[in-house]
Amino acid sequence: MLELTSSEISRWVASYLWVLFRIGAVLMTMPVLGTQLLPMRIRLYLALALTILIAPQVPVVPTLDALSLATWVIIAEQILIGAAMGFLLQLLFQIHVLAGQVIAMQMGLGFASMNDPSMGISVAVISQVFTMLVTLLFLAMNGHLVVIEVLAESFTTLPVGQSLVAADFLTLVQRFSWVLAASLLIGLPAVTALLIVNLSFGVMMRAAPQLNIFSIGFPLTLVFGLFILWVLLGNVLGQYHELAAEALIWLREMVGAR
């Protein structure tokens, strides 16, 4: 019969379970891998596989009693660190979702929404197009591999048991302004062009009041909006590259990786 002493259980908890909590928190909150598109069981298997690969390379961690209060505090810290990393990556995707909402409202497609399978909510069709495009770019540019690399480095730069610095995570609050500014920069060309189109229709209605501007302006606004969106997508790769690079740099800075 296999018997485990208290010290052996504490060493096992220190070597694997704390690592598993941080990795699992990242995989449950990060985009693509942490969405509803990937079943929970697959995410759990992936977290276990990464834990088996990363845990032997983790520096020495403190050995504590498995049922002590300090152990639960460290578990909460690991979940917080992993969730913060995943949340920072989610901001990169929400930039394009918000930009799609702004463009859709301006071109009259704000009411046209569809279910987003990754988040389980209804979003504008334009936002869904941007989400699918950004997801493909994220995978094509090996963004998920970079995240796993930063996650493995975080156990060296931010080891298990180290006290958290609140200032490091306060930067997440400051990133909301970055999300809003980046979304406006992406959608500003389309919004400006559609505003000019709407002003032109206003001048036409002023010059010819008998013209039914609603029956003519709405379909033309949609057509111009789709054309402008087609032109806008031609430069989405360069914009995404800059935003993704900035987000990954902030991710490294948050855990102290270089």
Side-chain angles (χ1 to χ4, degrees):
M1 181 176 180
L2 181 62
E3 295 183 359
L4 297 176
T5 63
S6 177
S7 60
E8 291 176 344
I9 294 177
S10 300
R11 186 167 54 253
W12 178 68
V13 170
S15 0
Y16 286 94
L17 276 189
W18 288 339
V19 178
L20 176 62
F21 279 117
R22 184 184 297 190
I23 295 176
V26 173
L27 295 182
M28 295 300 171
T29 55
M30 70 174 291
V32 184
L33 296 180
T35 60
Q36 298 180 6
L37 296 175
L38 197 65
M40 186 72 69
R41 184 178 299 177
I42 301 300
R43 281 180 274 174
L44 178 59
Y45 291 158
L46 183 58
L48 291 174
L50 291 176
T51 302
I52 294 174
L53 294 175
I54 295 176
Q57 306 175 12
V58 174
V60 179
V61 295
T63 303
L64 302 172
D65 185 8
L67 300 178
S68 64
L69 179 61
T71 299
W72 293 101
V73 172
I74 292 180
I75 289 175
E77 289 179 348
Q78 303 313 304
I79 295 176
L80 178 61
I81 293 172
M85 294 174 65
F87 180 73
L88 183 57
L89 293 171
Q90 286 285 358
L91 295 181
L92 175 63
F93 279 63
Q94 295 306 312
I95 287 173
H96 298 81
V97 173
L98 185 57
Q101 293 278 3
V102 172
I103 296 174
M105 291 295 293
Q106 188 67 23
M107 63 186 296
L109 284 179
F111 62 89
S113 61
M114 62 181 298
N115 182 54
D116 185 1
S118 63
M119 301 182 66
I121 60 176
S122 296
V123 297
V125 176
I126 306 299
S127 297
Q128 186 67 11
V129 171
F130 275 102
T131 301
M132 291 187 293
L133 182 60
V134 172
T135 300
L136 294 176
L137 290 176
F138 183 79
L139 296 175
M141 299 177 68
N142 294 327
H144 56 296
L145 300 181
V146 176
V147 173
I148 294 175
E149 178 186 359
V150 175
L151 178 60
E153 292 180 7
S154 68
F155 289 100
T156 302
T157 58
L158 194 62
V160 176
Q162 178 177 330
S163 298
L164 296 177
V165 180
D168 295 338
F169 295 96
L170 287 177
T171 55
L172 289 176
V173 180
Q174 301 173 0
R175 302 312 178 203
F176 283 108
S177 60
W178 170 67
V179 171
L180 182 59
S183 302
L184 292 178
L185 287 177
I186 293 175
L188 189 59
V191 171
T192 304
L194 290 172
L195 180 61
I196 295 175
V197 172
N198 290 328
L199 288 176
S200 302
F201 286 134
V203 173
M204 291 172 56
M205 188 170 116
R206 191 69 176 175
Q210 69 276 11
L211 185 64
N212 190 353
I213 197 64
F214 293 102
S215 61
I216 299 176
F218 185 71
L220 287 180
T221 302
L222 288 178
V223 172
F224 276 111
L226 293 176
F227 174 76
I228 294 167
L229 184 63
W230 173 63
V231 175
L232 184 65
L233 290 178
N235 194 35
V236 70
L237 180 60
Q239 294 175 341
Y240 171 79
H241 186 271
E242 294 179 2
L243 295 173
E246 193 170 359
L248 292 175
I249 288 174
W250 285 340
L251 181 64
R252 288 181 177 273
E253 290 178 351
M254 187 179 68
V255 299
R258 294 292 182 267

